[in-house]
Amino acid sequence: MTKLSYIQANDAAWLTFLEQIERVSPYLEHLKQHIEILKRPKRVLIVDVPIVMDDGSIQHFEGYRVQHNLSRGPGKGGIRYHQDVNLNEVMALSAWMTIKTAVLNLPFGGAKGGVRVDPRKLSARELERLTRRYTSEISHIIGPQKDIPAPDVGTNQHVMGWIMDTYSSGQGYTVTGVVTGKPIHLGGSLGRVKATGRGVFVTGREVAKKIKLSLKGAKVAIQGFGNVGSEAGFLFVESNAKVTHIQDHTGTIFNKNGIDLEALRDYVTVNEGVGGFTGAQLIADEEFWSAEVDIMIPAALEGQITIDRAQNFQAQLILEGANGPTYPKAEDILVERGIVVVPDVVCNAGGVTVSYFEWVQDMASYFWSEEEINERLDKLMVQAIEDVWNTANNNTCTLRTAAYILACERILKARKERGVFPG
């Protein structure tokens, strides 16, 4: 994805969310009067993050934390480090978290954070200084009962460990529940790293059953080979599907007999991308979007499935591993063509679900096995996609609209019951 296309996508992300809210409005009956609350973030914080670089100079970075809606509980959402992060993108991501947690019926609201920085250009010490200063700037609005960050693009468990330590230092005691996605020995949860990809697989498997798509021999294309795309790919291969196309920022590769994911994972660990992998041939990036596959998994960044690309899709089933990968008008075309889209707000909710498990475990100081985590995750994901599927059938609408119906009803009922202060 080019820098320009990424900027265009994240600038449009908030408008995409607003359009999604407008589309669900006719289904909300008397709750419609409260829908304006979803069109405005509850709280937006923009902070300056100055750090001393290794060469002694001082550089300033812009950081954000947006709490979109807290009607159902504390905010929940990741922190993104990327050179093109902006406020519109963070607002949209926080709003999608509001919907996502409600679809899964988790006791959270939606939040998101970000710093406009290319983390690849920072040393480990500079990255730590950036994280600790950013944490200090947002520390008054985060906390286990306020807003709980997690990893996202450009951040990882080590970054979460620094956030936890910085926040805890300010409180005077260890607060493990301030973030999720932490290292295991700092109160992290088993199964968290693979959870989003696992959720993509589980929801995909369940919908494939409903549309009579056999996974045996099914061809899968994946955009993004990070934690989400790779784990989903491995699970589909275990179910006798084959991954024939993979795309990331370094190129697009293809093998009609199926790509050896074990070998590719080893290659990517060393080379930081799929480009140049000898177990598949390199093809033009745009060919990825017209690949003759059964299942397409966009698991990279938002704004990937455009109107032009939607017209050329060959897949029967799209599983949104990324947040906001499909533009609304592009989805209209997909629906007209009979292609089923499992929306991000349920498809990739495995990560926030296990983050919820981690938060619960931290609160109780009692931890579950990975088998227990996966069993609980699968149960919630299966129930969520069943609820969304039934809602879609009952309202004769898309799965995305159905997910928004469920989520908005839960959020707006909570808001109605809490009332408006002062009255």
Side-chain angles (χ1 to χ4, degrees):
M1 187 179 187
T2 67
K3 179 177 180 180
L4 179 59
S5 62
Y6 179 80
I7 293 172
Q8 291 170 335
N10 66 22
D11 277 345
W14 179 247
L15 295 178
T16 295
F17 172 75
L18 293 179
E19 183 168 347
Q20 290 165 344
I21 290 297
E22 286 297 329
R23 290 184 177 209
V24 77
S25 180
Y27 298 90
L28 297 178
E29 298 178 350
H30 63 284
L31 290 172
K32 190 188 305 184
Q33 63 180 308
H34 301 287
I35 203 166
E36 286 297 316
I37 199 167
L38 293 176
K39 298 178 183 179
R40 295 168 172 80
K42 178 179 177 63
R43 185 174 291 117
V44 175
L45 180 63
I46 303 174
V47 297
D48 176 42
V49 186
I51 65 168
V52 178
M53 308 299 284
D54 290 344
D55 63 4
S57 66
I58 297 176
Q59 289 194 25
H60 293 255
F61 302 90
E62 188 162 278
Y64 312 93
R65 189 67 185 176
V66 175
Q67 295 169 348
H68 174 257
N69 188 278
L70 306 178
S71 296
R72 302 182 72 251
K76 189 77 192 77
I79 290 174
R80 177 172 294 193
Y81 288 175
H82 192 280
Q83 60 272 21
D84 296 318
V85 161
N86 65 29
L87 183 57
N88 274 337
E89 177 189 32
V90 178
M91 284 169 54
L93 292 168
S94 71
W96 284 323
M97 285 301 299
T98 297
I99 302 299
K100 192 179 302 183
T101 55
V103 172
L104 270 292
N105 212 12
L106 305 178
F108 292 134
K112 205 76 176 184
V115 178
R116 189 182 303 140
V117 60
D118 186 346
R120 297 169 298 182
K121 295 182 178 179
L122 300 184
S123 70
R125 290 293 299 149
E126 289 169 340
L127 189 65
E128 181 177 352
R129 293 186 203 113
L130 176 87
T131 299
R132 291 185 182 277
R133 181 58 188 252
Y134 170 69
T135 303
S136 71
E137 295 293 344
I138 67 169
S139 61
H140 62 290
I141 66 168
I142 64 172
Q145 302 298 334
K146 292 181 178 180
D147 180 359
I148 307 119
D152 196 79
V153 174
T155 60
N156 55 27
Q157 63 175 353
H158 304 299
V159 171
M160 295 305 108
W162 292 329
I163 293 175
M164 189 201 84
D165 182 70
T166 306
Y167 180 86
S168 297
S169 295
Q171 300 300 307
Y173 60 94
T174 299
V175 186
T176 57
V178 67
V179 291
T180 59
K182 306 178 293 295
I184 299 299
H185 56 277
L186 292 181
S189 177
L190 295 169
R192 172 62 183 86
V193 173
K194 297 180 178 180
T196 305
R198 185 178 184 88
V200 171
F201 167 74
V202 170
T203 53
R205 179 194 65 197
E206 295 304 304
V207 172
K209 291 177 187 175
K210 295 180 182 299
I211 65 174
K212 304 290 192 293
L213 172 60
S214 173
L215 295 186
K216 186 176 181 178
K219 292 179 288 186
V220 181
I222 301 173
Q223 187 195 38
F225 198 67
N227 289 336
V228 180
S230 62
E231 178 61 16
F234 277 111
L235 291 172
F236 274 107
V237 169
E238 285 180 16
S239 295
N240 298 312
K242 57 182 179 181
V243 178
T244 57
H245 296 70
I246 297 178
Q247 180 181 93
D248 72 2
H249 65 286
T250 64
T252 302
I253 58 175
F254 163 69
N255 186 326
K256 67 178 181 180
N257 298 316
I259 297 168
D260 183 341
L261 299 187
E262 292 280 2
L264 180 61
R265 180 169 58 186
D266 293 341
Y267 177 85
V268 169
T269 299
V270 175
N271 297 278
E272 300 183 345
V274 303
F277 178 62
T278 57
Q281 67 182 90
L282 192 67
I283 62 174
D285 286 344
E286 204 56 36
E287 289 182 35
F288 177 85
W289 300 104
S290 57
E292 294 183 3
V293 295
D294 302 292
I295 300 172
M296 173 73 73
I297 305 175
L301 295 168
E302 56 266 21
Q304 297 299 288
I305 302 180
T306 61
I307 290 175
D308 290 341
R309 288 173 175 173
Q311 292 170 341
N312 297 317
F313 259 73
Q314 304 299 311
Q316 300 178 53
L317 179 61
I318 298 173
L319 308 177
E320 292 189 335
N323 290 312
T326 309
Y327 287 109
K329 288 181 173 56
E331 185 167 4
D332 292 341
I333 294 170
L334 296 171
V335 172
E336 288 174 6
R337 298 184 59 215
I339 298 170
V340 177
V341 180
V342 182
D344 49 3
V345 291
V346 61
C347 188
N348 69 29
V352 71
T353 301
V354 175
S355 283
Y356 165 59
F357 296 161
E358 181 177 332
W359 180 73
V360 169
Q361 291 170 91
D362 285 337
M363 295 298 100
S365 295
Y366 180 80
F367 293 85
W368 308 328
S369 69
E370 187 164 359
E371 182 180 7
E372 289 175 302
I373 294 289
N374 288 339
E375 182 180 343
R376 293 169 189 264
L377 172 61
D378 291 1
K379 183 177 180 180
L380 285 183
M381 296 299 292
V382 168
Q383 184 60 59
I385 198 63
E386 188 70 20
D387 291 344
V388 170
W389 186 268
N390 290 337
T391 301
N393 284 340
N394 293 338
N395 290 276
T396 316
C397 63
T398 66
L399 295 180
R400 189 183 311 278
T401 298
Y404 273 69
I405 291 171
L406 280 174
C408 290
E409 284 180 346
R410 290 167 178 168
I411 298 161
L412 298 181
K413 282 179 181 177
R415 183 66 270 164
K416 180 182 177 183
E417 291 298 322
R418 293 181 63 159
V420 177
F421 175 80

